[in-house]
Amino acid sequence: MGTIGTILLHETAGTAMLLLLGVGVVANAVLAKTKGNAGGWLMISLGWGLAVFAGVYVAYKSGAHLNPAVTLGILSSGATEYAPGIPITVGTTFAYLFAQLLGATLGAILAWLVYKKHYDAEGEPGNILGTFSTGPEVRSYGWNVLTEAIGTFVLVFIILLFGGTPSGLGPLAVALVVVVIGASLGGPTGYAINPARDLGPRIAHTILPIPNKGSSDWSYAWVPIVGPILGGVLAGLVSNAFI
């Protein structure tokens, strides 16, 4: 399999695994009549962290970016190679971005299939949307962008500082970083820290036949895209002073 094929297969599969488990843990904690109903924020943060752990293992052959902010952070750092044998170029970058968005959308759809009967029973549109994508507790676009940028900077900076995954930092350590970002910085916006993580599921929410789902809140959708990209690119630039 060629370089682009490796990226497309493994990044799509890894990001799908990430979103299947990530959307799934939020659905379990939020939707009506689930075993994990009212599981709380720490359950969600831990679930997302371990979802990253699983996704990294699935996508290890492509370097397991799983996140456009990570890909763009690597690019902005000036690195010429991240995963063994995969050069960092404009072409490979676009392959990563496409695969991540596709995988995120597919993973969200799979999570919906698992919880379909619970989505059908849920009468609160906000709960339904909240399982797919992020939203602010206090809507203030500038501050929301800043929150996402800072959280993503932490994630990408630490990944780059320790040499990437799966070598160096390792899947479990990345998972723990995601958990602590959620527990400490996730309160204002729900910590997308990954444009594909928010955009893919938001697309799925838009197209899926879910009763009572309401709006997909596209007026906010740019925030978890712009904020993480800014944070990831800044992390890539700053990392050069520390590596």
Side-chain angles (χ1 to χ4, degrees):
M1 182 179 294
T3 297
I4 298 299
T6 297
I7 293 171
L8 293 176
L9 175 61
H10 291 275
E11 283 292 307
T12 300
T15 310
M17 180 65 72
L18 166 63
L19 269 296
L20 167 61
L21 299 177
V23 172
V25 72
V26 183
N28 195 19
V30 171
L31 295 180
K33 301 180 180 180
T34 64
K35 295 290 187 181
N37 183 261
W41 187 247
L42 289 180
M43 170 181 159
I44 291 172
S45 296
L46 182 61
W48 271 109
L50 294 178
V52 170
F53 178 78
V56 168
Y57 269 111
V58 172
Y60 77 96
K61 285 189 177 180
S62 63
H65 298 193
L66 307 179
N67 182 342
V70 172
T71 301
L72 295 174
I74 294 167
L75 184 67
S76 69
S77 75
T80 58
E81 185 176 293
Y82 186 70
I86 298 183
I88 303 301
T89 67
V90 173
T92 59
T93 296
F94 276 108
Y96 277 112
L97 300 182
F98 173 79
Q100 290 154 2
L101 181 59
L102 176 61
T105 306
L106 293 175
I109 291 172
L110 290 173
W112 167 73
L113 289 173
V114 172
Y115 283 94
K116 182 182 184 305
K117 291 298 182 181
H118 298 275
Y119 280 109
D120 291 347
E122 178 60 60
E124 174 52 53
N127 288 344
I128 295 171
L129 178 60
T131 67
F132 286 92
S133 55
T134 61
E137 291 301 303
V138 177
R139 188 171 296 244
S140 178
Y141 291 125
W143 288 105
N144 301 151
V145 168
L146 180 63
T147 297
E148 287 291 336
I150 292 173
T152 309
F153 177 90
V154 172
L155 173 66
V156 178
F157 180 68
I158 293 176
I159 288 175
L160 293 175
L161 200 63
F162 283 86
T165 58
S167 62
L169 186 56
L172 182 57
V174 175
L176 293 175
V177 171
V178 172
V179 171
V180 75
I181 291 171
S184 59
L185 305 177
T189 61
Y191 80 118
I193 59 172
N194 180 339
R197 171 265 173 275
D198 190 273
L199 180 57
R202 200 179 295 270
I203 292 171
H205 178 272
T206 300
I207 64 176
L208 287 172
I210 306 172
N212 305 312
K213 68 178 180 179
S215 167
S216 298
D217 195 13
W218 284 102
S219 63
Y220 180 78
W222 66 274
V223 171
I225 296 173
V226 172
I229 288 175
L230 291 175
V233 170
L234 182 60
L237 296 173
V238 172
S239 68
N240 289 314
F242 289 82
I243 298 175

